[in-house]
Amino acid sequence: MSDVPPATATPADREATSPTPGPARPPVTGDDPALRTAYRLCRRRTKDEDPAEYALIQLVPAPLRPALYALWAAANALDDLGDDRTAPAAERAARVGAWITALHRELPTGSSPDPVRRALVDTANRWRLDLSELRDAMAQVQDDTAGRHFTDWAEWRTWGRDNLLPWFGLVRTVFDRAGVPVALRLDTREAYEEFLDGVRLTDILTDLAADLAQGDLLLPAEALDLHPGSAADLARRRWSPAVAALVTHLTGLARRWVSQESLTRGMHPGPATVLHTMAALLRAQLDAIDAAGPALLRTAPRPALRTRVRIIAPARTRAALAWSLTPLTVPPPQRPGTHRPAAPDRPAPTTGTHRLPPPHPSGERPPEIPPGDLPAHVAVIMDGNGRWAQQRGLPRHEGHRAGATAVREVVHGALDAGLRHLTLYTFSTENWHRDPEEVDAILDLLRRELAENPFRDLDVRLRWHGRAGRLPPDLVDVLHLRERTTRARTGLTLTMCIDYGGRDELTRTAAALARGAREGRLEPDLIAEDDFARHLPLPDMPDVDLLWRTGGEQRVSNFLPWHTAYAELHFTPGLWPDTDRRDLWQALTAYTHRRRHLGATPAASAADGPAAARISTAPTAGPGG
């Protein structure tokens, strides 16, 4: 079967090298010749520009291949616009921005005059992919046109992962939609991200000659400094002992990062074969880089054809067997916009690349509080969902559903007011003791909310705080996905505490300190508060300035004991589902009238105003933040 079958496939359209296992399936593109042409273009570009990527895509069933071609071609088209040095940086950035804007405008329509975007839009509609997950990765390509410099490996990893993880995440979603979920075990997540570090480093070393010709050196100073003189020699494109040692060091690192045997343990043999083959091709590429010597600074090295054949041929046999035993779910063509809300008639206001939240129906605006008087971090105990439902004769899970609407409202209010951190007590370690049906309903609601991703277009960075061991793996997977795809956002940081308990957090921190002392990294008698803060599960979470609880109860319920040591407490009688953003604004206003001493003498009297009567309460992150 052809990778991109027309309504009636001709022999020339069929894939000659890798027949599709299983029964015949409906055509991917129907009778739309323009769409068929768009997918063929994506396939041809993949084959011509990245034979290794093309070979890997041949290891998946034919009905899935068009989506992967479209994703690869789109990522490459953006990179090409950003790397086109025939244009100045500002013009390249504008071209990338125009491409991204056009994509978001075309997505609800289901079509595009640009063939690559046309294939990508169709793939998104057909496989129900949320392309907003690519927002920050695409914006990064635009930022890269101004050049990049990395101080250390941590900075380099953040850059690489922010770019690669969203694209690989969508590939995983395609497998998931086809009925072959590529769920990662909790103990392999770091291995997965490290594997992608190896992909990125191998790519940089392969393209070293082209990057140097453009004046780019995408390696961290931390690595270059280990080999004095290497940076200057590379800038002059001079092969020296320092450069040779640097390349050997980096290929060794990359080889270790891509050799993650534990990554595919327990995985379906189809995707596992793809990952094993990808790792083998990467190691072969690293061998070619090592063997290139001075030629590495003149041209991109490639493994010999016989080496690639030796890796790919047996992989095709294994993949064909794995997929022949696997029933697939291939979605029919989708109507444009069926998997997400249609575009509004009038575009919503935006700030940068993100939309502003919708206004409150009443038209009421947030109070005008100077940024210095706002609490930097508000934590909320959302109490009263069950009582709200019982008062109306409804099952308790209906209260949680209504509570989810209140969460959206309060997040919108936090954005309106310019709040920096909002943390919500979503599901506690004690909530497992509730009726199993209620627990299942809460977890299902979390899944639906995360899948719908109501804050996708807002400048909201989502974080998760809690334990993973008892949560369903698919829920953990989507929580990590939302964290990864929003971590470059700089507006509101929304932390969802799910399977969280304050005493559990302190116990885990104590265990981390004990391990540090046992390994000789800490002196027990010298452990100070900053050491404790550095070993918290989220060491960069700032202290809570305002702790707000709804529902009429007046207790803190094992919520953030370390971070709320000096928090102002605010209790309100209303049940959480009845809460909207105006309640948050009232809490913020009440905060400005508190006199916060933190054990010190206030700098001025209350008569001088609420801001003057408080000493500075700027949040302090742990040293590891």
Side-chain angles (χ1 to χ4, degrees):
M1 182 182 290
S2 169
D3 291 349
V4 189
T8 304
T10 64
D13 293 323
R14 302 184 188 278
E15 175 62 54
T17 60
S18 180
T20 302
R25 295 181 175 87
V28 169
T29 58
D31 295 308
D32 185 342
L35 183 58
R36 197 157 59 242
T37 299
Y39 273 116
R40 291 190 186 283
L41 173 66
C42 293
R43 176 187 172 186
R44 185 169 65 252
R45 286 189 177 178
T46 308
K47 187 174 184 178
D48 293 346
E49 298 176 25
D50 195 338
E53 182 71 23
Y54 180 81
L56 289 171
I57 295 177
Q58 300 311 296
L59 300 180
V60 307
L64 277 64
R65 294 175 194 163
L68 305 189
Y69 293 140
L71 288 168
W72 184 93
N76 208 47
L78 268 181
D79 285 341
D80 287 347
L81 287 174
D83 291 340
D84 180 12
R85 295 309 175 100
T86 62
E91 184 177 337
R92 285 183 279 124
R95 290 176 182 175
V96 172
W99 198 98
I100 297 170
T101 299
L103 172 66
H104 290 301
R105 185 178 62 246
E106 294 157 356
L107 184 60
T109 72
S111 186
S112 171
D114 178 89
V116 172
R117 289 201 304 269
R118 186 183 185 97
L120 181 62
V121 165
D122 181 75
T123 289
N125 280 288
R126 178 177 172 82
W127 292 95
R128 295 180 292 116
L129 303 182
D130 184 359
L131 295 190
S132 69
E133 295 171 2
L134 298 175
R135 180 192 302 276
D136 295 323
M138 289 180 171
Q140 186 191 83
V141 175
Q142 191 173 13
D143 293 341
D144 286 349
T145 58
R148 287 283 182 180
H149 173 76
F150 308 106
T151 302
D152 52 28
W153 281 113
E155 192 177 308
W156 181 91
R157 286 190 185 93
T158 298
W159 167 76
R161 293 178 183 185
D162 285 349
N163 181 267
L164 287 180
L165 280 166
W167 293 98
F168 274 76
L170 289 182
V171 171
R172 290 174 56 200
T173 301
V174 170
F175 279 100
D176 183 68
R177 299 280 191 264
V180 190
V182 190
L184 298 174
R185 301 189 321 277
L186 298 176
D187 61 334
T188 62
R189 292 191 180 280
E190 182 57 34
Y192 174 59
E193 297 197 0
E194 200 168 76
F195 178 83
L196 295 186
D197 292 342
V199 173
R200 170 62 74 190
L201 184 53
T202 303
D203 182 60
I204 288 172
L205 292 172
T206 299
D207 295 336
L208 191 59
D211 288 342
L212 291 174
Q214 297 177 347
D216 291 332
L217 183 54
L218 301 177
L219 296 170
E222 179 182 349
L224 297 167
D225 291 345
L226 291 176
H227 305 278
S230 60
D233 289 335
L234 286 171
R236 295 194 297 268
R237 303 181 72 180
R238 173 178 173 270
W239 186 261
S240 67
V243 170
L246 172 68
V247 170
T248 300
H249 170 66
L250 294 177
T251 55
L253 272 181
R255 196 172 281 108
R256 188 176 80 238
W257 288 342
V258 301
S259 301
Q260 301 282 350
E261 293 300 324
S262 65
L263 190 57
T264 56
R265 193 177 303 133
M267 189 180 287
H268 181 282
T273 297
V274 174
L275 280 174
H276 278 305
T277 307
M278 185 176 184
L281 288 171
L282 287 166
R283 287 192 292 268
Q285 180 63 37
L286 291 166
D287 290 341
I289 292 168
D290 273 332
L296 181 65
L297 305 185
R298 297 192 300 271
T299 186
R302 299 293 176 191
L305 175 61
R306 63 179 179 275
T307 301
R308 297 199 301 270
V309 170
R310 176 174 51 80
I311 294 169
I312 293 168
R316 284 183 174 174
T317 302
R318 293 194 303 272
L321 176 60
W323 295 118
S324 69
L325 303 174
T326 305
L328 297 176
T329 302
V330 180
Q334 299 274 320
R335 290 186 298 104
T338 55
H339 71 290
R340 58 178 298 169
D345 294 334
R346 181 177 298 173
T350 62
T351 172
T353 60
H354 301 101
R355 295 185 186 276
L356 296 175
H360 189 271
S362 70
E364 189 171 341
R365 296 297 302 159
E368 295 185 3
I369 302 174
D373 293 343
L374 271 175
H377 185 185
V378 175
V380 186
I381 300 174
M382 305 177 292
D383 194 15
N385 289 342
R387 282 177 284 158
W388 183 91
Q390 289 171 340
Q391 289 174 3
R392 289 159 176 76
L394 300 172
R396 289 178 61 88
H397 67 80
E398 290 297 334
H400 298 301
R401 189 190 307 275
T405 301
V407 167
R408 299 187 187 194
E409 253 296 293
V410 168
V411 169
H412 292 162
L415 285 166
D416 286 336
L419 194 62
R420 303 296 298 171
H421 290 269
L422 177 67
T423 298
L424 305 179
Y425 207 0
T426 308
F427 187 84
S428 75
T429 51
E430 290 77 17
N431 287 156
W432 292 105
H433 300 303
R434 295 187 178 186
D435 183 276
E437 289 187 5
E438 182 179 356
V439 170
D440 289 343
I442 293 172
L443 297 180
D444 285 341
L445 177 62
L446 285 171
R447 284 190 190 91
R448 289 196 299 273
E449 285 293 297
L450 288 164
E452 187 174 345
N453 196 12
F455 311 126
R456 66 161 64 86
D457 295 324
L458 306 178
D459 194 8
V460 176
R461 178 191 182 196
L462 183 65
R463 299 189 79 186
W464 162 43
H465 193 11
R467 276 190 175 271
R470 291 184 290 189
L471 293 174
D474 63 324
L475 178 58
V476 173
D477 207 40
V478 73
L479 283 166
H480 281 295
L481 173 65
R482 295 289 173 254
E483 283 191 315
R484 290 195 306 265
T485 55
T486 63
R487 63 181 168 188
R489 300 186 181 186
T490 58
L492 174 70
T493 295
L494 174 64
T495 303
M496 310 290 288
C497 291
I498 302 174
D499 198 10
Y500 170 86
R503 289 183 173 179
D504 175 75
E505 178 183 28
L506 299 181
T507 302
R508 292 162 63 190
T509 304
L513 288 167
R515 285 193 296 271
R518 184 181 60 196
E519 295 166 4
R521 293 184 287 105
L522 291 169
E523 175 59 46
D525 293 333
L526 299 179
I527 291 176
E529 287 187 13
D530 60 341
D531 296 306
F532 194 94
R534 191 173 63 250
H535 287 80
L536 287 164
L538 289 185
D540 57 344
M541 175 184 277
D543 286 346
V544 173
D545 297 310
L546 176 65
L547 175 61
W548 171 29
R549 180 174 187 142
T550 63
E553 302 290 348
Q554 297 191 16
R555 57 180 180 271
V556 296
S557 296
N558 197 26
F559 187 40
L560 299 175
W562 178 267
H563 301 86
T564 57
Y566 287 100
E568 297 294 321
L569 305 181
H570 182 72
F571 300 108
T572 54
L575 304 178
W576 178 253
D578 293 325
T579 302
D580 73 9
R581 71 186 80 180
R582 292 173 298 181
D583 298 289
L584 171 66
W585 296 341
Q586 290 173 7
L588 299 179
T589 300
Y591 171 86
T592 66
H593 295 290
R594 301 288 181 91
R595 298 184 61 181
R596 306 199 72 205
H597 303 167
L598 306 188
T601 302
S605 68
D608 295 324
R614 294 186 281 113
I615 67 170
S616 174
T617 58
T620 55

